[in-house]
Amino acid sequence: MGMFSESVEVACGLEGQPVELQWGGRTYAVCAEPVHWYERRQWWAEEQRAPLGSGPGLVDHEIWRVQVVPKENPAAPEHLTLDLVRHTGSGRWRLLRIHDALRHKTA
């Protein structure tokens, strides 16, 4: 598993769940039902101060675990499992973790 913090473009469905993402010059389709949860972030280490009245997005990260396949080959047997985080204030997405990598076949 690799840890990252890389910006990605994410298209969401009607209920706000990721359905497609662009990363590394490729477009990926979500191929399984995403899993959604929140994780505590160390805001005291990342922020100089907490503005009065701030709460959502300061204490917790919104995490989505998705399984994706390259959109140009949706029948590919290989898939990636990624954790994405959505910034509450800006709505921007970042790639946080890669759980398994595509396996390239050797001839």
Side-chain angles (χ1 to χ4, degrees), residues 16-55:
Q17 78 280 10
V19 294
E20 183 178 292
L21 68 100
Q22 292 181 359
W23 170 55
R26 295 180 80 179
T27 301
Y28 295 88
V30 175
C31 62
E33 187 69 28
V35 178
H36 180 234
W37 73 92
Y38 291 86
E39 287 183 2
R40 292 278 173 198
R41 61 184 278 248
Q42 297 178 344
W43 64 268
W44 58 90
E46 300 169 10
E47 306 285 341
Q48 297 221 349
R49 60 187 300 265
L52 186 62
S54 63

Side-chain angles (χ1 to χ4, degrees), residues 74-92:
E78 299 91 2
H79 65 273
L80 288 172
T81 301
L82 309 173
D83 286 353
L84 306 173
V85 60
R86 179 171 29 197
H87 185 269
T88 304
S90 67
R92 287 184 274 179

